[in-house]
Amino acid sequence: MARPGQNRNLYQTAGLTIIYTEPERSLNVVRTPKHARTDVNAFIILDSEGHRVLAKYYRPKTNAQDALSPKDQRTFEKGLWQKTKKPGGDVILFDGHLAVFRHSLDLIFYVIGGPTENEIMLYSVLTALFDAVSLLLRNQVEKRAVLENLDLVLLCLDETIDDGIIVETDSTTIASRVSRPKADTTEIVINEQTLMSAYQTVKDKVQQRIQQL
């Protein structure tokens, strides 16, 4: 999925382009230091009808004026869904953005980056997020489960991407950080039961001593 670097002017290109790469050319790509880090512009989940389930946009690091308004975000999501609603493929260049995506039952997960970002890194982020959510939802990655556990999905997102910067790509690590033990209330019950049990034991022994006198 690696591809040679492209001019930043492509950011304003409209329309849809399927990305084809030439292996012999991609072997010679050398990224400059400022392009060494892959930034994420947005993470989006749409349902099978193109409606937003979850979307988080990050402000561009270079050109803040390129940030999409809420209205533009909806327009972008609708157009993106139109181009990706049928299963097949996993990366497109759409409306000046590089989008990697993955279908799951009645949902489509997207990670959006600039047109010159590393699609391999973007897809690794998408895979990590999807797999972490899948682990937490016990492989039931569909609209109802996601909406019922939206807090977990958001926590997964925050553990993976921080202000557009990729911070983690291991799904197991992400899921382990997000999952919280449900032992807080249980521990209280156990402690109370333990105290009551100890009290009853002492009480029984005292009664036995009294009877022996």
Side-chain angles (χ1 to χ4, degrees):
M1 294 172 66
R3 70 193 149 74
Q6 298 175 328
N7 193 297
R8 279 284 177 180
N9 292 331
L10 288 177
Y11 194 88
Q12 300 299 328
T13 300
L16 170 67
T17 303
I18 302 296
I19 298 176
Y20 296 96
T21 63
E22 300 179 27
E24 64 275 9
R25 291 180 61 195
S26 63
L27 291 174
N28 297 323
V29 173
V30 177
R31 291 184 177 274
T32 60
K34 72 174 183 177
H35 293 143
R37 188 185 73 192
T38 299
D39 292 328
V40 175
N41 291 348
F43 172 73
I44 304 168
I45 303 177
L46 303 179
D47 67 13
S48 56
E49 297 181 349
H51 299 138
R52 177 191 287 185
V53 176
L54 170 66
K56 186 167 185 177
Y57 288 77
Y58 304 96
R59 184 173 295 277
K61 300 296 183 296
T62 52
N63 299 315
Q65 65 271 20
D66 288 336
L68 298 177
S69 67
K71 182 179 179 180
D72 290 339
Q73 291 174 10
R74 296 288 186 174
T75 301
F76 174 77
E77 291 166 18
K78 197 67 177 179
L80 183 63
W81 174 77
Q82 287 287 349
K83 300 299 183 180
T84 60
K85 60 183 178 180
K86 294 182 179 180
D90 54 17
V91 56
I92 63 169
L93 187 62
F94 173 73
D95 197 23
H97 295 81
L98 182 63
V100 295
F101 58 97
R102 178 169 179 171
H103 287 255
S104 176
L105 299 177
D106 56 352
L107 296 174
I108 311 176
F109 284 64
Y110 301 87
V111 170
I112 313 297
T116 62
E117 295 294 358
N118 186 328
E119 64 267 30
I120 296 177
M121 280 301 300
L122 291 178
Y123 199 81
S124 70
V125 171
L126 174 63
T127 301
L129 267 169
F130 182 89
D131 289 349
V133 171
S134 183
L135 283 170
L136 293 168
L137 301 186
R138 299 183 179 182
N139 298 318
Q140 298 299 314
V141 186
E142 44 89 24
K143 183 177 180 179
R144 180 176 178 180
V146 167
L147 288 174
E148 290 177 350
N149 297 276
L150 202 56
D151 56 335
L152 293 180
V153 178
L154 287 170
L155 286 172
C156 281
L157 180 58
D158 290 341
E159 289 292 341
T160 309
I161 305 168
D162 181 16
D163 194 27
I165 300 172
I166 301 168
V167 294
E168 184 58 69
T169 56
D170 183 81
S171 58
T172 304
T173 301
I174 296 167
S176 65
R177 289 174 180 169
V178 169
S179 60
R180 293 288 181 267
K182 300 179 180 180
D184 291 340
T185 56
T186 305
E187 285 178 0
I188 295 173
V189 173
I190 291 174
N191 289 336
E192 289 178 351
Q193 290 177 344
T194 302
L195 289 172
M196 290 300 295
S197 177
Y199 171 76
Q200 188 63 44
T201 300
V202 172
K203 182 180 178 181
D204 291 342
K205 287 184 177 181
V206 170
Q207 289 178 346
Q208 289 175 3
R209 289 289 182 87
I210 292 174
Q211 292 174 358
Q212 291 174 359
L213 294 178

